[in-house]
Amino acid sequence: MPDVYDVDFEDERALLTKDAQVRRRYLRIFNKRRDDFESDLQYDNYLEMVEELIFKLVNNVDLVQTRAFIDKYRRDNQDLIARNQAKKADDDRTEAERVAIAERQRLAKLAQLRQQDDILEEQRRMQRRQEEAEQLLRIQKGDEAVARLRKRREKANRKKRKKEAAAAAAAKEQEQRSRMALIPVRPTYPNPPPAPIGVGNVSLDQRPQQRTDDRSRELRNRAAAAAGFRQRLVYQRALLEFEQSLHFAALQHGAG
Protein backbone atom coordinates (compact mmCIF):
# COMPACT_ATOMS: atom_id res chain seq x y z
CA MET A 1 0.00 0.00 0.00
CA PRO A 2 1.59 3.33 -1.01
CA ASP A 3 2.36 5.87 1.69
CA VAL A 4 0.04 8.87 1.85
CA TYR A 5 3.05 11.19 1.55
CA ASP A 6 3.84 9.91 -1.94
CA VAL A 7 0.33 10.50 -3.36
CA ASP A 8 0.05 13.60 -5.48
CA PHE A 9 -3.47 15.04 -5.20
CA GLU A 10 -4.15 17.58 -7.87
CA ASP A 11 -7.80 18.44 -7.63
CA GLU A 12 -9.84 19.60 -4.67
CA ARG A 13 -11.75 16.35 -4.26
CA ALA A 14 -8.53 14.40 -4.04
CA LEU A 15 -7.22 16.95 -1.54
CA LEU A 16 -10.26 16.50 0.68
CA THR A 17 -9.90 12.75 0.48
CA LYS A 18 -6.23 13.00 1.49
CA ASP A 19 -7.14 15.30 4.39
CA ALA A 20 -9.67 12.76 5.70
CA GLN A 21 -7.18 9.90 5.42
CA VAL A 22 -4.41 11.85 7.21
CA ARG A 23 -6.73 12.88 10.03
CA ARG A 24 -8.06 9.36 10.52
CA ARG A 25 -4.48 7.98 10.67
CA TYR A 26 -2.69 10.54 12.84
CA LEU A 27 -5.45 11.56 15.22
CA ARG A 28 -5.06 8.10 16.70
CA ILE A 29 -1.57 9.25 17.74
CA PHE A 30 -2.38 12.82 18.71
CA ASN A 31 -5.27 11.82 20.94
CA LYS A 32 -4.71 13.85 24.10
CA ARG A 33 -7.83 14.99 25.91
CA ARG A 34 -8.72 18.10 27.86
CA ASP A 35 -8.03 16.43 31.20
CA ASP A 36 -4.40 15.81 30.07
CA PHE A 37 -3.69 19.56 30.31
CA GLU A 38 -3.65 22.00 33.18
CA SER A 39 -5.47 24.80 31.32
CA ASP A 40 -7.60 25.49 28.32
CA LEU A 41 -4.79 27.52 26.77
CA GLN A 42 -2.42 24.56 26.79
CA TYR A 43 -5.13 22.37 25.24
CA ASP A 44 -5.84 24.96 22.53
CA ASN A 45 -2.11 25.24 21.71
CA TYR A 46 -1.96 21.45 21.41
CA LEU A 47 -4.91 21.41 18.97
CA GLU A 48 -3.27 24.14 16.86
CA MET A 49 -0.05 22.10 16.68
CA VAL A 50 -1.99 19.04 15.51
CA GLU A 51 -3.78 21.04 12.80
CA GLU A 52 -0.44 22.44 11.59
CA LEU A 53 1.04 18.94 11.33
CA ILE A 54 -2.01 17.71 9.36
CA PHE A 55 -1.71 20.69 7.00
CA LYS A 56 1.95 19.90 6.31
CA LEU A 57 1.21 16.24 5.68
CA VAL A 58 -1.71 16.98 3.34
CA ASN A 59 0.13 19.66 1.36
CA ASN A 60 3.58 17.94 1.35
CA VAL A 61 5.30 20.69 3.36
CA ASP A 62 8.48 19.77 5.31
CA LEU A 63 7.59 16.10 5.17
CA VAL A 64 10.94 14.87 6.57
CA GLN A 65 10.93 17.12 9.63
CA THR A 66 7.19 16.55 10.19
CA ARG A 67 7.56 12.78 9.97
CA ALA A 68 10.52 12.83 12.40
CA PHE A 69 8.53 14.92 14.88
CA ILE A 70 5.61 12.51 14.71
CA ASP A 71 7.84 9.47 15.29
CA LYS A 72 9.52 11.11 18.32
CA TYR A 73 6.09 12.10 19.77
CA ARG A 74 4.85 8.54 19.37
CA ARG A 75 7.82 7.11 21.29
CA ASP A 76 7.66 9.71 24.08
CA ASN A 77 3.87 9.40 24.63
CA GLN A 78 3.33 5.71 23.92
CA ASP A 79 1.63 4.94 27.25
CA LEU A 80 -0.57 8.04 27.13
CA ILE A 81 -1.56 7.26 23.55
CA ALA A 82 -2.58 3.71 24.55
CA ARG A 83 -4.63 4.94 27.51
CA ASN A 84 -6.41 7.55 25.43
CA GLN A 85 -7.10 4.99 22.71
CA ALA A 86 -8.71 2.75 25.33
CA LYS A 87 -10.73 5.69 26.61
CA LYS A 88 -11.71 6.51 23.06
CA ALA A 89 -12.86 2.93 22.56
CA ASP A 90 -14.88 3.10 25.78
CA ASP A 91 -16.37 6.41 24.68
CA ASP A 92 -17.21 4.93 21.30
CA ARG A 93 -18.90 1.95 22.93
CA THR A 94 -20.79 4.25 25.29
CA GLU A 95 -21.84 6.43 22.40
CA ALA A 96 -22.87 3.37 20.40
CA GLU A 97 -24.90 2.12 23.33
CA ARG A 98 -26.46 5.55 23.75
CA VAL A 99 -27.31 5.63 20.06
CA ALA A 100 -28.70 2.10 20.27
CA ILE A 101 -30.80 3.00 23.31
CA ALA A 102 -32.03 6.14 21.59
CA GLU A 103 -32.89 4.10 18.51
CA ARG A 104 -34.76 1.51 20.59
CA GLN A 105 -36.63 4.28 22.36
CA ARG A 106 -37.46 5.85 19.02
CA LEU A 107 -38.73 2.53 17.66
CA ALA A 108 -40.71 1.88 20.86
CA LYS A 109 -42.23 5.34 20.65
CA LEU A 110 -43.03 4.77 16.99
CA ALA A 111 -44.64 1.41 17.81
CA GLN A 112 -46.63 3.06 20.60
CA LEU A 113 -47.80 5.79 18.23
CA ARG A 114 -48.74 3.17 15.64
CA GLN A 115 -50.63 1.23 18.31
CA GLN A 116 -52.43 4.40 19.35
CA ASP A 117 -53.24 5.09 15.71
CA ASP A 118 -54.57 1.55 15.35
CA ILE A 119 -56.68 1.99 18.48
CA LEU A 120 -58.02 5.31 17.24
CA GLU A 121 -58.72 3.84 13.82
CA GLU A 122 -60.56 0.90 15.42
CA GLN A 123 -62.57 3.31 17.56
CA ARG A 124 -63.45 5.33 14.46
CA ARG A 125 -64.52 2.15 12.65
CA MET A 126 -66.67 1.10 15.60
CA GLN A 127 -68.21 4.57 15.75
CA ARG A 128 -68.95 4.49 12.01
CA ARG A 129 -70.55 1.03 12.35
CA GLN A 130 -72.63 2.27 15.30
CA GLU A 131 -73.74 5.34 13.36
CA GLU A 132 -74.64 3.18 10.36
CA ALA A 133 -76.62 0.81 12.61
CA GLU A 134 -78.45 3.74 14.23
CA GLN A 135 -79.20 5.25 10.83
CA LEU A 136 -80.51 1.89 9.58
CA LEU A 137 -82.66 1.59 12.70
CA ARG A 138 -84.07 5.08 12.13
CA ILE A 139 -84.83 4.17 8.52
CA GLN A 140 -86.56 0.96 9.62
CA LYS A 141 -88.58 2.83 12.25
CA GLY A 142 -89.48 5.43 9.65
CA ASP A 143 -90.62 2.70 7.23
CA GLU A 144 -92.70 1.09 9.98
CA ALA A 145 -94.26 4.45 10.84
CA VAL A 146 -95.04 5.07 7.17
CA ALA A 147 -96.56 1.59 6.89
CA ARG A 148 -98.72 2.20 9.98
CA LEU A 149 -99.82 5.57 8.63
CA ARG A 150 -100.64 3.99 5.27
CA LYS A 151 -102.72 1.29 6.99
CA ARG A 152 -104.61 3.90 9.02
CA ARG A 153 -105.31 5.90 5.88
CA GLU A 154 -106.50 2.80 4.01
CA LYS A 155 -108.75 1.88 6.93
CA ALA A 156 -110.16 5.40 7.07
CA ASN A 157 -110.72 5.35 3.30
CA ARG A 158 -112.52 2.01 3.54
CA LYS A 159 -114.77 3.38 6.28
CA LYS A 160 -115.40 6.50 4.24
CA ARG A 161 -116.26 4.50 1.12
CA LYS A 162 -118.52 2.24 3.18
CA LYS A 163 -120.35 5.23 4.66
CA GLU A 164 -120.67 6.83 1.23
CA ALA A 165 -122.01 3.58 -0.22
CA ALA A 166 -124.51 3.25 2.65
CA ALA A 167 -125.59 6.87 2.21
CA ALA A 168 -125.95 6.39 -1.54
CA ALA A 169 -128.00 3.22 -1.00
CA ALA A 170 -130.22 4.99 1.53
CA ALA A 171 -130.70 7.94 -0.83
CA LYS A 172 -131.55 5.59 -3.69
CA GLU A 173 -134.02 3.69 -1.54
CA GLN A 174 -135.60 6.94 -0.39
CA GLU A 175 -135.86 8.10 -4.00
CA GLN A 176 -137.49 4.82 -5.00
CA ARG A 177 -139.97 5.14 -2.14
CA SER A 178 -140.76 8.71 -3.15
CA ARG A 179 -141.36 7.60 -6.73
CA MET A 180 -143.58 4.74 -5.57
CA ALA A 181 -145.64 7.22 -3.57
CA LEU A 182 -146.36 9.23 -6.73
CA ILE A 183 -147.25 6.30 -9.05
CA PRO A 184 -151.01 6.34 -9.76
CA VAL A 185 -152.84 3.23 -8.66
CA ARG A 186 -155.77 2.07 -10.68
CA PRO A 187 -158.58 1.27 -8.22
CA THR A 188 -160.76 -1.78 -8.58
CA TYR A 189 -164.52 -1.32 -8.28
CA PRO A 190 -167.44 -3.69 -8.50
CA ASN A 191 -169.17 -3.86 -11.86
CA PRO A 192 -170.68 -1.40 -12.59
CA PRO A 193 -168.49 1.21 -10.84
CA PRO A 194 -170.11 3.95 -8.85
CA ALA A 195 -170.81 7.17 -10.65
CA PRO A 196 -168.53 10.13 -9.85
CA ILE A 197 -169.77 13.18 -8.06
CA GLY A 198 -171.79 15.50 -10.25
CA VAL A 199 -172.21 12.93 -13.02
CA GLY A 200 -175.73 11.75 -13.85
CA ASN A 201 -178.00 11.30 -10.85
CA VAL A 202 -175.23 10.52 -8.35
CA SER A 203 -175.38 12.80 -5.35
CA LEU A 204 -172.74 13.76 -2.83
CA ASP A 205 -174.32 11.39 -0.34
CA GLN A 206 -173.38 8.44 -2.57
CA ARG A 207 -169.56 9.07 -2.22
CA PRO A 208 -167.76 6.50 -0.13
CA GLN A 209 -167.35 7.77 3.36
CA GLN A 210 -163.93 7.59 4.98
CA ARG A 211 -163.86 6.08 8.42
CA THR A 212 -162.70 8.52 11.03
CA ASP A 213 -162.91 6.42 14.14
CA ASP A 214 -159.82 5.87 16.33
CA ARG A 215 -159.36 2.27 15.24
CA SER A 216 -159.13 3.23 11.57
CA ARG A 217 -156.73 6.09 12.33
CA GLU A 218 -154.47 3.75 14.34
CA LEU A 219 -154.42 1.21 11.52
CA ARG A 220 -153.51 3.88 9.00
CA ASN A 221 -150.70 5.17 11.23
CA ARG A 222 -149.28 1.66 11.65
CA ALA A 223 -149.44 0.99 7.94
CA ALA A 224 -147.71 4.29 7.20
CA ALA A 225 -144.99 3.60 9.79
CA ALA A 226 -144.44 0.09 8.45
CA ALA A 227 -144.10 1.40 4.90
CA GLY A 228 -141.67 4.09 5.97
CA PHE A 229 -143.89 7.04 4.89
CA ARG A 230 -144.97 10.07 6.80
CA GLN A 231 -148.62 10.51 7.71
CA ARG A 232 -148.95 13.57 5.49
CA LEU A 233 -147.59 11.64 2.51
CA VAL A 234 -150.12 8.89 3.15
CA TYR A 235 -152.94 11.39 3.16
CA GLN A 236 -151.71 13.01 -0.02
CA ARG A 237 -151.52 9.66 -1.78
CA ALA A 238 -154.97 8.66 -0.55
CA LEU A 239 -156.41 11.94 -1.81
CA LEU A 240 -154.66 11.49 -5.15
CA GLU A 241 -156.01 7.95 -5.49
CA PHE A 242 -159.48 9.17 -4.64
CA GLU A 243 -159.37 11.91 -7.26
CA GLN A 244 -158.01 9.47 -9.85
CA SER A 245 -160.78 6.99 -9.05
CA LEU A 246 -163.38 9.69 -9.55
CA HIS A 247 -161.86 10.62 -12.87
CA PHE A 248 -161.73 6.99 -13.95
CA ALA A 249 -165.34 6.43 -12.88
CA ALA A 250 -166.43 9.46 -14.89
CA LEU A 251 -164.65 8.11 -17.93
CA GLN A 252 -166.29 4.72 -17.49
CA HIS A 253 -169.73 6.26 -17.06
CA GLY A 254 -169.33 8.43 -20.15
CA ALA A 255 -168.27 5.47 -22.21
CA GLY A 256 -171.34 3.51 -21.06
Side-chain angles (χ1 to χ4, degrees), residues 177-190:
R177 289 179 179 179
S178 299
R179 290 179 179 178
M180 290 296 296
L182 298 178
I183 295 176
V185 179
R186 183 174 181 178
T188 57
Y189 297 100

Side-chain angles (χ1 to χ4, degrees), residues 118-131:
D118 294 339
I119 293 174
L120 292 176
E121 182 63 24
E122 181 64 23
Q123 291 177 353
R124 285 193 290 267
R125 284 197 296 267
M126 293 178 63
Q127 184 177 1
R128 286 196 298 268
R129 287 196 293 267
Q130 183 177 0
E131 291 176 354

